[in-house]
Amino acid sequence: MKILVIGGGGREHALAWKLKQSPRVERIFCAPGNAGTAEIGENVAISASDLPGLVRFAKENRVDLTVVGPDDSLAAGIVDLFAAADLRIFGPTKAAARLESSKIFAKELMREQGIPTAQAGTFERSDDALRFCDRLRFPVVIKADGLALGKGVIIAPDCAVARSTIDEMINQGRFGEAGRRVVVEEFLRGTECSLHALVDGANYRLLQTARDHKRAFEGDTGPNTGGMGAFSPANNWNAELEDQFHKKIMGPLLRGLHEKRITFRGLLYPGLMISADGARVLEFNCRFGDPETQVILPRMKSDLLPLLEATIDGKIDSPKASSIEWDRRPAVTVVLASGGYPGKYETGKSISGLGKAAELDGVQIFHAGTKRINSEIVTSGGRVLAITALGSTLEAARARAYEAVSRIHFENCHYRRDIALSAGYG
Ligand SMILES: Nc1ncnc2c1ncn2[C@@H]1O[C@H](COP(=O)(O)OP(=O)(O)O)[C@@H](O)[C@H]1O
Ligand SMILES: [Mg+2]
């Protein structure tokens, strides 16, 4: 089989790496890929947003299955385009991807179905939004409706910040069209957990849990990033929460989609806030998480390919897909970023030590913002690498990941030293 993976981050390298291990996979293309995917497949110089270009490539090269990484390709309707061209693709349609691409759509569906989530209002006029803030207790959370590269959520500690944020989003177009409408919601306290489910339209199967670290600096301080590290399994999840998750979240969600005549096929990843009274949905994502994928897939022993196929074919409940085998060992991934990220940063820095780090037992290096120039691998993005390690305990996995990190060097490398440190992650 020939597979095309769309995207060029650590998640896509992990997907390509895992799919490459499937006995039926002969060739893997990545568009646009990175220096890591180039080592296991062939990079194709087509951007993840050039949908007609991707359709053309898949047709001309007789690609058997395309797997989509990034949210914006899904929101732009890549799955609908591929399906119209009779091409097999893994991911939700544009209509189903609205669960992620419109926080208002998701919120309304949750309200209709009684899915536990933060109390919220949705607004397109700033004065209405402000009046609603007054009814909540500060801090309040203000969210741009649309996709905003993970920067569209602001936690406003007081009325002044709420006022300026709402004004910037709705009236000044700080996030363009994505912020013209906003969700204002109550601030939830607790710890976060990422769930990943393969949803085949009617049924679903859960993958292992994970937790990520979104803030740039240690102790969960600094601005939000795409994610600075993750670990799996989550230490705040249990059988009771899982039971509740099936009954109060996934069941009603699928019912709500069905009522709207929307079929969701693909990876659904709800972000949850867990507090004393259970799990509540912060948001729905419609694709694999980054960097969660970099800790979930190294723990998956089963072949990923038949699971993706069963999801597309509405057969995730079939015996073939029914049991996913997992490595019981925990995994930790540490993201190495360019100094300055998520703000301004320089690229083109030479990376050394990748070979030495990869020699360590149980270590897997996933590339994100990297590219090869002649014999050198250089940085080309904000998040550069994700260094994953498995270990007999979380502490062992963590120690091994940091041992690998210590062998890798590039100018202005920034990473958090407290990934998967249990303090503060009760
Ligand atoms: N209601 C809330 N209460 C507390 N924290 C929140 C709330 N909503 C979002 N957050 C925080 O903001 C982060 C980003 O919000 P999220 O809804 O996941 O949007 P996105 O991932 O699209 O930026 C969450 O991971 C969480 O840390
Ligand atoms: Mg999120």
Side-chain angles (χ1 to χ4, degrees):
M1 271 182 83
K2 286 192 247 177
I3 309 260
L4 169 63
V5 174
I6 293 179
R11 161 183 56 206
E12 287 78 12
H13 186 189
L15 284 164
W17 167 82
K18 181 67 183 159
L19 287 167
K20 173 79 190 218
Q21 294 164 35
S22 176
R24 280 158 52 220
V25 172
E26 292 149 9
R27 280 174 90 178
I28 296 205
F29 302 105
C30 280
N34 56 40
T37 61
E39 281 170 19
I40 51 174
E42 297 156 60
N43 284 354
V44 179
I46 304 175
S47 139
S49 57
D50 177 6
L51 307 193
L54 292 165
V55 170
R56 212 174 312 122
F57 177 85
K59 272 267 177 224
E60 282 170 4
N61 292 277
R62 299 173 186 277
V63 168
D64 298 293
L65 172 65
T66 298
V67 181
V68 187
D71 52 12
D72 38 2
S73 308
L74 295 166
I78 189 168
V79 171
D80 311 65
L81 269 184
F82 269 61
D86 234 2
L87 289 162
R88 236 159 120 70
I89 186 162
F90 177 87
T93 58
K94 182 175 185 171
R98 283 191 77 209
L99 270 182
E100 175 168 9
S101 66
S102 170
K103 289 193 190 295
I104 293 180
F105 174 80
K107 210 77 202 182
E108 279 168 1
L109 196 154
M110 285 191 273
R111 184 162 28 211
E112 285 161 18
Q113 299 297 333
I115 294 172
T117 183
Q119 187 200 340
T122 60
F123 305 95
E124 47 191 82
R125 289 177 48 114
S126 52
D127 47 353
D128 293 340
L130 261 177
R131 219 168 299 131
F132 185 75
C133 284
D134 288 337
R135 284 175 39 198
L136 298 173
R137 222 181 308 164
F138 283 97
V140 300
V141 183
I142 300 161
K143 302 186 175 188
D145 175 43
L147 298 177
L149 299 170
K151 292 176 183 161
V153 172
I154 306 291
I155 294 166
D158 54 45
C159 186
V161 177
R163 181 182 296 274
S164 62
T165 301
I166 288 168
D167 183 55
E168 280 172 16
M169 284 192 191
I170 295 183
N171 303 326
Q172 295 175 39
R174 174 165 158 206
F175 295 105
E177 280 311 302
R180 290 292 178 194
R181 301 202 297 161
V182 301
V183 174
V184 177
E185 67 183 33
E186 84 183 285
F187 180 80
L188 300 176
R189 282 166 217 281
T191 57
E192 290 177 55
C193 186
S194 302
L195 267 290
H196 281 61
L198 290 167
V199 182
D200 76 354
N203 297 300
Y204 63 92
R205 194 157 298 288
L206 293 187
L207 306 185
Q208 287 283 315
T209 55
R211 296 187 65 183
D212 75 339
H213 300 255
K214 289 191 184 67
R215 302 292 202 95
F217 307 129
E218 275 141 42
D220 281 334
T221 56
N224 265 337
T225 67
M228 294 301 292
F231 60 97
S232 171
N235 55 348
N236 56 352
W237 192 246
N238 58 42
E240 193 186 333
L241 283 168
E242 188 154 316
D243 186 54
Q244 198 188 65
F245 177 70
H246 290 302
K247 288 191 187 124
K248 295 197 174 162
I249 296 174
M250 290 303 287
L253 174 70
L254 291 178
R255 187 173 63 221
L257 288 171
H258 183 75
E259 282 173 13
K260 293 186 192 299
R261 298 182 189 285
I262 293 171
T263 305
F264 189 106
R265 289 202 187 91
L267 192 290
L268 182 78
Y269 136 36
L272 305 177
M273 182 69 88
I274 298 167
S275 52
D277 55 349
R280 282 194 271 182
V281 176
L282 291 176
E283 62 158 352
F284 292 112
N285 300 290
C286 293
R287 32 81 199 172
F288 284 91
D290 188 344
E292 286 93 333
T293 306
Q294 291 92 306
V295 284
I296 293 173
L297 292 186
R299 297 188 62 222
M300 184 187 276
K301 285 185 170 171
S302 307
D303 189 345
L304 178 62
L305 178 61
L307 294 171
L308 300 186
E309 292 178 311
T311 304
I312 296 173
D313 296 335
K315 292 182 177 157
I316 200 68
D317 253 11
S318 74
K320 246 172 52 186
S322 68
S323 72
I324 305 177
E325 249 197 279
W326 295 99
D327 194 325
R328 295 179 62 87
R329 291 176 297 167
V332 171
T333 197
V334 179
V335 169
L336 305 191
S338 299
Y341 171 80
K344 278 215 319 230
Y345 55 83
E346 291 174 9
T347 58
K349 310 290 185 195
S350 170
I351 307 172
S352 66
L354 289 169
K356 276 264 166 280
E359 278 170 12
L360 285 166
D361 201 34
V363 166
Q364 196 58 50
I365 294 173
F366 295 116
H367 289 235
T370 67
K371 66 178 179 192
R372 181 176 284 278
I373 297 182
N374 302 319
S375 63
E376 250 190 348
I377 293 180
V378 302
T379 65
S380 66
R383 289 191 293 170
V384 176
L385 297 159
I387 313 301
T388 299
L390 291 161
S392 53
T393 61
L394 191 66
E395 288 66 38
R398 190 173 176 272
R400 203 177 272 179
Y402 279 107
E403 166 67 26
V405 166
S406 75
R407 298 183 177 192
I408 298 171
H409 301 278
F410 59 86
E411 202 184 311
N412 294 336
C413 171
H414 164 68
Y415 62 91
R416 276 178 61 165
R417 286 163 180 77
D418 64 347
I419 301 303
L421 246 195
S422 53
Y425 295 101

